[in-house]
Amino acid sequence: VMRAVDKGLVPRGWVYSQGGEELSWFSPSISQWFDSLSHRYAQFNAWLTNGRPNSLWLPGFVNAKGALTAVLQNVCRLHLDDGWALDDVVGYSEVSDFPSAETVKSAPKEGTYLHGIILEAARWEGKSSGTVSESLPKELHSALPVVFFTAVTTALKAESLSNYGPHGPFECPVFRYAERGADNFVTTLSLSTQHHPRH
């Protein structure tokens, strides 16, 4: 442990169990790991003290996919009288007009707001009526504004595809870490684009 700390690295035992299962989260340096720990503590302590936050910091969840599944389950419960079942719904997302979590004054009636999502090799132009665009020169990463995430039936999602631009939405994959792969995949967010999604 001390060797890793001396080199500014996160000790392996802080991230992985003896069997190799992930216990916490990967960070390239111990300072970033503690910064993330501080943010996670702040989010969950405020949640316990004041109730659910207006916007959830998605990178703060070790199991972000599980957190979003819980959102889908809660929305399904609200629509029991409509006959919604978890197997019949999918995630639905819209970029909001909120540039940051601090500007969100109240949680939505159903679903949740998400923040802390970073676009790689792209950027968001405009507000809720904006679009995914090419990244600026020498700017590999840019923050996505606060995103509204909820559940809708597959039929409702199909009806909404034209709202995302002339070619439909760009289904943007969201990963826990920069390293892509099935283990790090969280969900996809539907983002408006003026380009063909394969652009």
Side-chain angles (χ1 to χ4, degrees):
V1 171
M2 290 310 294
R3 240 180 269 141
V5 172
D6 188 47
K7 293 179 181 178
L9 302 174
V10 181
R12 180 170 172 77
W14 292 10
V15 179
Y16 301 102
S17 70
Q18 292 285 347
E21 296 171 335
E22 193 171 328
L23 291 173
S24 64
W25 54 92
F26 173 77
S27 289
S29 72
I30 197 164
S31 64
Q32 289 176 326
W33 191 89
F34 273 109
D35 187 48
S36 183
L37 176 66
S38 174
H39 280 87
R40 288 164 197 256
Y41 172 79
Q43 173 167 269
F44 295 124
N45 185 55
W47 196 334
L48 288 170
T49 307
N50 308 320
R52 193 177 109 192
N54 295 335
S55 180
L56 301 177
W57 179 52
L58 192 60
F61 292 92
V62 172
N63 184 0
K65 186 183 283 190
L68 295 181
T69 300
V71 171
L72 299 181
Q73 289 172 332
N74 285 336
V75 174
C76 279
R77 284 188 196 108
L78 295 173
H79 290 275
L80 279 177
D81 293 339
D82 300 325
W84 287 23
L86 189 57
D87 292 338
D88 301 328
V89 299
V90 292
Y92 173 83
S93 57
E94 291 178 359
V95 176
S96 75
D97 287 333
F98 302 115
S100 66
E102 296 75 32
T103 59
V104 180
K105 299 303 177 200
S106 63
K109 291 181 182 178
E110 61 180 54
T112 190
Y113 289 118
L114 303 171
H115 66 278
I117 301 169
I118 305 297
L119 292 174
E120 184 175 301
R123 66 189 168 102
W124 185 259
E125 272 190 310
K127 294 189 175 190
S128 61
S129 59
T131 183
V132 172
S133 298
E134 299 281 340
S135 60
L136 295 173
K138 299 182 182 182
E139 190 178 290
L140 182 60
H141 301 99
S142 66
L144 192 61
V146 175
V147 173
F148 171 64
F149 181 84
T150 190
V152 294
T153 62
T154 51
L156 286 174
K157 182 149 185 178
E159 290 173 15
S160 72
L161 294 181
S162 62
N163 298 340
Y164 291 97
H167 306 287
F170 167 59
E171 295 295 341
C172 181
V174 178
F175 296 94
R176 291 179 58 220
Y177 302 122
E179 181 182 307
R180 296 180 176 105
D183 291 344
N184 293 330
F185 178 76
V186 177
T187 191
T188 57
L189 297 177
S190 300
L191 301 178
S192 298
T193 179
Q194 296 303 310
H195 300 288
H196 195 282
R198 284 180 271 167
H199 172 72

